Amino acid sequence: MGAGDGTSRPTDNAFLGPLMGGSLEVAYAGALSFMRRRYSRDLAGIDVAVWGIPLDTAVSNRPGARFGPQAIRRASAILCGDPQYPFHRDPFAEVAVIDYGDCAFDYGRHAEIPATIQAQAAAILDRDVHLVTLGGDHFVTWPLLQAHAAKHGPLALVQLDAHQDTWDDDGERLDHGTFVARAVRAGLIDPARSVQVGIRTHAPEDCGIAILDAYAVHEEGIPRTIERVLARVGDGPAYLTVDIDCLDPAYAPGTGTPVAGGLSSAQLLMLLRGLAPVDWRGMDVVEVAPPYDHADITAIAAAAVVQHYLGIMGPRLARRGRAEMA
Ligand code: MN
Ligand code: MN
């Protein structure tokens, strides 16, 4: 701490702070970015881009997820200078993470939205930058999977969700409950290596994807659930999508289609930590709908999910680490 000249507690690190290293900034003020990372569209030398997609026109029930990226950024402000168990280290000491801002799309031109999201995601991935996306409703995972599979080939999908999202459609609609069926049909994900965890509602098709429903998770416990997910996914490339409604409404009231009987936030974070061995190529957290939230419960959970993802990935996300692995 320096003398009271204001410089010992800088503010607005989203614009004025360093690229590397956690930043000391009060949690209650300053320009908001994800975990106080620098807002930038310059991808040179960047390992991870955190990106928002403020879309909620594909929901079947309550809208509001368009406010998700803002709320998650706000909830993440306290996490930057507060290393969490079990990592005990500054995730930004070795990994260059920026907040890339939000996806730009015309909310009135629905038919153009998927391709617009896909193109902007692909432009980030083309620079060998790891993409972490804040939704938005779960439709956004469709163009994200298109972009990731174009780069990495078919992916194992690990989906934490109350819902299967395997409803069929004609491929033209914007619906947050159909992206999984589309992705299997398009060959973007390998159903034999994919698994859904926390499911509480039934859809007509499972598309060949394994289901660990929420009651099985409660009965068998998180360690056994981790074993089953790791065995299913194997060593190949994988994509993680976290629909925050995998949590019980007690832990995530701020979401569009809540279902009782879900996971606790502690169970979710323990599960994520156990999935560290997976070859993750990207992730999203979706369906945070702040108008139904209370005391930022849901936004805090979503921010912690991304923080833990960065924690389990650790130095693997750094360009230096990727070069050594290649
Ligand atoms: Mn859901
Ligand atoms: Mn979903």
Side-chain angles (χ1 to χ4, degrees), residues 138 159-165 176-177 179 243 245 257 286-287:
H138 220 162
Q159 179 186 354
L160 311 184
D161 204 324
H163 311 88
Q164 295 173 253
D165 297 340
H176 69 160
F179 78 92
D243 184 330
D245 71 24
T257 36
V286 298
E287 298 283 355

Side-chain angles (χ1 to χ4, degrees), residues 195-326:
V195 58
Q196 300 172 325
V197 183
I199 303 298
R200 277 100 78 201
T201 66
H202 183 75
E205 298 289 339
D206 65 14
C207 297
I209 296 171
I211 293 174
L212 302 176
D213 68 71
Y215 306 102
V217 174
H218 290 309
E219 286 175 8
E220 297 186 358
I222 294 299
R224 177 67 183 136
T225 303
I226 291 167
E227 289 176 6
R228 292 176 64 168
V229 173
L230 292 178
R232 180 79 175 180
V233 172
D235 297 329
Y239 185 88
L240 174 67
T241 183
V242 180
D243 184 330
I244 206 67
D245 71 24
C246 71
L247 297 177
D248 190 88
Y251 299 93
T255 194
T257 36
V259 184
L263 308 186
S264 71
S265 47
Q267 285 178 307
L268 171 58
L269 297 178
M270 288 168 63
L271 175 60
L272 281 181
R273 283 158 47 178
L275 300 181
V278 174
D279 182 11
W280 298 117
R281 300 302 175 93
M283 73 89 67
D284 60 57
V285 57
V286 298
E287 298 283 355
V288 173
Y292 312 98
D293 210 1
H294 303 276
D296 296 335
I297 295 170
T298 315
I300 290 167
V305 164
V306 176
Q307 181 202 32
H308 276 240
Y309 181 80
L310 296 174
I312 64 170
M313 291 294 284
R316 275 190 286 171
L317 289 166
R319 281 169 182 269
R320 186 179 62 248
R322 285 207 295 274
E324 284 169 1
M325 287 190 296

